[in-house]
């Protein structure tokens, strides 16, 4: 291989690599924009598409953590009971707020439908379900209204499922924070931003799994309950994260919608990485060819 061809090949390789890196950096920047530009506290897009990135749970930090049994909850009748009374068997925990017009009633309805498909385990017998409000303004009265909106006519919950408020409002953030659940008030839209997630606790009260609302199946729930029984911890898989990230809840339409900017950014990032790999393979092939 002569000096001219070697220089030409090197220049082509550098040009390709520069182009690929530029595209990859641009994709990362776009991804960051899609994840954060319009998702700051109190700054929701005109279409009210809430980006889930600011609400992401640090699973590595909180998986395996044990919750405090002594938190005092109140049911729809105003009766007190401790969180610890719901533990001793797997517990599916959902945080909601009861004046919500959108996602909160949806995730509780979806949970009820999902649990109907869990055949191996019976609610109230093998596991419990608990919905807790993170809004300090919620009362047993707003709770009763929420139960109606969530499809529990006459306030009739399945045996083993309780919907509650916190008696000591100052303990709300202590409970949510102990599981990595974050929520923010948006003054402009007059609503809370929060993740749509079910948190699985083991019989010993340890966090064993996060299941993201809108993406789970009865099989997912059944497996999560089974693992919780054995005190087995499992992080959300890649599919859970991708699907959860690609869908945002549209408060205007009252449904989940695809996060288009995230798809575009991810596509650009993947293309950039493929271009780097392809150009590397091409230059390696040319080098071997010239050596021959």
């Amino acid at each position: 291989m002569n000096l001219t061809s070697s220089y030409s090949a090197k220049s082509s390789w550098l040009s390709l690599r520069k182009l690929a890196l530029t595209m990859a950096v641009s994709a990362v920047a776009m991804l960051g924009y899609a994840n954060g530009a319009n998702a700051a506290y109190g700054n929701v897009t005109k279409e009210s598409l809430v980006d889930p990135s600011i609400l992401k749970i640090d699973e590595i930090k909180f998986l395996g953590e044990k919750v405090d049994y002594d938190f005092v909850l109140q049911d729809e009748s105003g009766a007190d009971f401790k969180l610890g009374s719901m533990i001793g068997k797997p517990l599916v925990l959902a945080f909601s707020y009861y004046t919500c017009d959108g996602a909160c009633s949806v995730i509780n309805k979806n949970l009820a439908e999902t649990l109907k498909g869990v055949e191996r385990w019976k609610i109230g017998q093998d596991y419990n379900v608990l919905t807790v409000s993170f809004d300090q303004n919620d009362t047993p009265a707003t709770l009763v209204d929420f139960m109606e909106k969530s499809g529990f006519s006459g306030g009739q919950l399945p045996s083993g499922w309780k919907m509650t408020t916190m008696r000591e409002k100052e303990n709300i953030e202590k409970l949510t924070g102990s599981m990595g659940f974050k929520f923010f008030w948006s003054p402009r839209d007059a609503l809370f931003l929060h993740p749509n997630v079910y948190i699985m606790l083991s019989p010993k009260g340890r966090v064993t799994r996060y299941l993201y609302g809108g993406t789970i199946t009865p099989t997912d729930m059944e497996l999560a309950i089974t693992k919780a029984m054995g005190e087995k911890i499992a992080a959300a898989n890649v599919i859970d994260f991708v699907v959860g990230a690609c869908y945002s809840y549209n408060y205007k339409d009252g449904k989940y919608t695809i996060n288009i900017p995230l798809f575009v950014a991810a596509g650009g990032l993947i293309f950039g990485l493929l271009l780097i790999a392809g150009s590397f393979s091409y230059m390696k092939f040319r080098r071997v060819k010239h050596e021959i």
Side-chain angles (χ1 to χ4, degrees):
M1 182 173 72
N2 59 44
L3 184 61
T4 301
S5 61
S6 175
Y7 177 78
S8 177
K10 184 176 181 180
S11 297
S12 298
W13 158 241
L14 290 174
S15 297
L16 283 170
R17 187 173 69 172
K18 184 177 180 180
L19 175 61
L21 287 172
T22 300
M23 294 183 68
V25 170
S26 298
V28 170
M30 187 182 295
L31 184 61
Y33 176 81
N35 279 345
N38 292 318
Y41 173 72
N43 181 25
V44 186
T45 62
K46 291 182 179 180
E47 293 78 16
S48 294
L49 295 179
V50 179
D51 195 308
S53 63
I54 62 168
L55 304 168
K56 185 178 179 181
I57 296 171
D58 186 353
E59 293 191 16
I60 301 302
K61 180 178 179 179
F62 292 98
L63 282 170
E65 288 297 305
K66 190 173 183 179
V67 301
D68 187 342
Y69 288 3
D70 292 330
F71 286 112
V72 180
L73 307 171
Q74 291 182 317
D75 63 19
E76 72 279 6
S77 69
D80 292 351
F81 66 95
K82 288 188 176 181
L83 175 59
S85 67
M86 298 290 289
I87 299 173
K89 58 184 69 173
L91 177 66
V92 183
L93 173 61
F95 287 113
S96 302
Y97 74 102
Y98 299 147
T99 55
C100 177
D101 292 326
C104 290
S105 58
V106 171
I107 64 171
N108 280 274
K109 285 180 181 178
N110 287 349
L111 179 57
E113 289 301 314
T114 300
L115 295 178
K116 289 178 182 178
V118 176
E119 299 179 352
R120 184 176 180 183
W121 309 114
K122 300 300 180 184
I123 183 173
Q125 178 179 321
D126 301 306
Y127 67 95
N128 291 322
V129 181
L130 177 64
T131 302
V132 181
S133 171
F134 55 80
D135 184 356
Q136 63 179 355
N137 296 309
D138 272 325
T139 64
T142 60
L143 169 51
V144 171
D145 290 340
F146 180 77
M147 292 170 70
E148 292 285 345
K149 287 192 298 183
S150 299
F152 300 105
S153 180
Q156 295 299 311
L157 288 166
S159 176
W161 188 336
K162 287 184 177 291
M163 289 191 174
T164 67
T165 58
M166 295 283 289
R167 189 179 71 182
E168 289 86 15
K169 305 304 182 182
E170 63 274 13
N171 283 336
I172 291 175
E173 291 192 10
K174 291 181 182 179
L175 177 59
T176 57
S178 69
M179 301 179 202
F181 181 92
K182 294 177 283 186
F183 57 95
F184 306 93
W185 176 253
S186 170
R188 198 194 79 175
D189 292 81
L191 51 77
F192 281 104
L193 311 183
H194 61 94
N196 299 317
V197 62
Y198 310 118
I199 304 174
M200 183 65 65
L201 302 180
S202 74
K204 293 182 180 179
R206 298 187 183 280
V207 178
T208 60
R209 185 75 188 272
Y210 293 93
L211 297 164
Y212 296 95
T215 68
I216 66 168
T217 66
T219 301
D220 296 327
M221 183 61 72
E222 186 171 298
L223 182 60
I225 294 171
T226 302
K227 286 183 176 293
M229 285 181 174
E231 300 287 333
K232 295 180 179 178
I233 296 170
N237 59 41
V238 174
I239 299 300
D240 290 336
F241 173 76
V242 171
V243 175
C246 291
Y247 281 82
S248 295
Y249 193 82
N250 188 320
Y251 290 90
K252 180 179 178 181
D253 298 332
K255 62 183 179 180
Y256 289 94
T257 55
I258 295 176
N259 191 333
I260 299 297
L262 191 63
F263 271 113
V264 173
L269 179 60
I270 292 171
F271 179 75
L273 294 175
L274 288 176
L275 188 58
I276 292 174
S279 59
F280 177 78
S281 299
Y282 173 72
M283 294 310 302
K284 183 177 181 180
F285 170 77
R286 287 196 58 176
R287 184 169 64 252
V288 172
K289 183 178 180 180
H290 280 290
E291 288 176 354
I292 295 175

